[in-house]
Amino acid sequence: MPDTPPKVLVPAANLRTFAAALFEKGGLGAEHARTTADVLVWAALRGVDSHGIARVPAYLDLLAKGVANAAADLTIESNAPATAVVDADRAPGPVALSVAADEAVRRARTAGIASVGVRRTVHTGAIGYYVSKIAEQGLIGVGFVAGMPNMGYTGAQGAAVATSPLAIAVPARDHAPLLLDMATATIALGKLRQARASGTPLPEGAAATEDGTPTTDPARAVIPLPLGGAKGSGMSLAFELLTSVLVGAPILASFHSDDPAGREHRQNALLIAVDPAAYGDPDAFVAAVGRTLSTVKGLPPADGSDGVFYPGERSAATAAERGERGVPVAAKVWRELTLHAEKLGVTLSDTVV
């Protein structure tokens, strides 16, 4: 069996600069290019490689094909002090949701809680990034995303709903924030592709063929199955209602209609910011969160366990380690990036350790 090609270690700052340069050459303005690069590098730092720097070629492709609007005119609509809708005009998700996160924090500072919907964006990336931005401001962040149906639904054939994710970030004292970032699917689409490439059998109940028949054969697996069966599919449907339908841009109904436009790629989102100061002493809150997390970590570990961890703890440790040593980029991904750099005229100097 051939050796696995070595990974390229790249300092996060250089990787961010490199990705931003590629996006700018791909048509984005400088600020939007930096924002998009920051979201992808954030995921790569935390070890979420499926949503990290490997996504750069896909984003460039979305821009080149016009699926993502490089010159989007984002607008903010509001009918109440604690709510707003960002019409993204098909801007890349990192651009649109970063605007929404900032808007949610601003409104929550006044109202105590705020929700900001995002209409008509394209691939949001790791939504943990946006709720983490909210938590960095001392607020609680909650986010939902709905996209194109690509997952099974309990009792239905084929792809029926989306692998819609949920993310929650809670600031804590003396700990990295709690960060729960999960999809409603049992297995990510990226994991299906990896299993297909390696020929690794899939776990029971994780994926299905195109017609919805469960399979462990990676060569036949096309769609992921919902997490917890009816629980995961029910959550996905609820997120469609809380995002797409709420902001007046339904995806699910149009996708399953006879309208060809219903198959055009798009996503919607909802971000919620909660200010602990509206409920009491914010310092006491983060201290209590810290004590709660310490209590969980102090529980006796189960046999065979390497410790007790809370959501986001290990990815924060990975980010710290990769921040010091550099971000490992798979050789195949690095080749793709360098080919795009040559094509777009971006210089690679001083980007590799």
Side-chain angles (χ1 to χ4, degrees), residues 120-147:
R120 295 195 305 148
T121 189
V122 176
H123 200 277
T124 57
I127 66 167
Y129 173 89
Y130 314 107
V131 295
S132 293
K133 276 174 62 75
I134 294 172
E136 286 171 5
Q137 302 300 312
L139 281 68
I140 299 165
V142 181
F144 312 98
V145 171

Side-chain angles (χ1 to χ4, degrees), residues 2-318:
D3 293 336
T4 302
K7 293 186 177 182
V8 181
L9 274 180
V10 187
N14 291 357
L15 194 58
R16 192 177 291 110
T17 299
F18 179 36
L22 289 172
F23 288 138
E24 195 168 352
K25 289 288 188 178
L28 288 176
E31 182 180 355
H32 288 178
R34 286 193 298 270
T35 297
T36 305
D38 194 50
V39 173
L40 300 188
V41 173
W42 179 89
L45 274 167
R46 297 182 73 95
V48 190
D49 296 322
S50 60
H51 285 66
I53 205 68
R55 290 280 185 172
V56 169
Y59 274 65
L60 290 172
D61 188 52
L62 290 172
L63 290 165
K65 292 179 177 178
V67 176
N69 186 358
D73 180 19
L74 283 79
T75 58
I76 298 176
E77 308 164 5
S78 178
N79 295 315
T83 63
V85 176
V86 175
D87 190 305
D89 191 26
R90 294 184 296 106
V95 174
L97 269 73
S98 292
V99 169
D102 290 341
E103 187 69 15
V105 169
R106 186 182 71 79
R107 290 174 181 265
R109 292 288 190 203
T110 300
I113 184 170
S115 64
V116 178
V118 178
R119 176 196 301 135
R120 295 195 305 148
T121 189
V122 176
H123 200 277
T124 57
I127 66 167
Y129 173 89
Y130 314 107
V131 295
S132 293
K133 276 174 62 75
I134 294 172
E136 286 171 5
Q137 302 300 312
L139 281 68
I140 299 165
V142 181
F144 312 98
V145 171
M148 306 302 292
N150 57 2
M151 180 178 79
Y153 185 91
T154 302
Q157 289 186 355
V161 293
T163 55
S164 301
L166 157 71
I168 301 172
V170 183
R173 179 172 294 170
D174 302 327
H175 289 283
L178 177 142
L179 175 59
L180 174 68
D181 187 349
M182 55 172 280
T184 50
T186 299
I187 189 170
L189 284 168
K191 296 289 186 181
L192 286 186
R193 287 190 287 268
Q194 290 175 351
R196 190 176 302 120
S198 64
T200 305
L202 297 164
E204 291 280 353
T209 60
E210 189 171 1
D211 65 0
T213 304
T215 182
T216 59
D217 183 353
R220 299 180 62 228
V222 176
I223 59 175
L225 291 173
L227 181 67
K231 295 178 181 179
S233 55
M235 288 173 65
S236 177
L237 179 57
F239 295 168
E240 165 73 3
L241 301 180
L242 290 172
T243 58
S244 306
V245 176
L246 186 63
V247 301
I251 293 176
L252 184 62
S254 60
F255 179 89
H256 291 293
S257 73
D258 295 329
D259 183 2
R263 298 300 178 106
E264 294 175 359
H265 176 75
R266 61 210 185 277
Q267 293 186 340
N268 301 305
L270 184 74
L271 294 180
I272 301 169
V274 181
D275 189 353
Y279 295 80
D281 182 351
D283 290 331
F285 172 74
V286 294
V289 172
R291 288 194 299 273
T292 302
L293 298 181
S294 293
T295 298
V296 170
K297 289 193 60 56
L299 295 173
D303 291 343
S305 169
D306 57 355
V308 181
F309 303 92
Y310 63 87
E313 180 183 2
R314 283 182 282 196
S315 62
T318 299

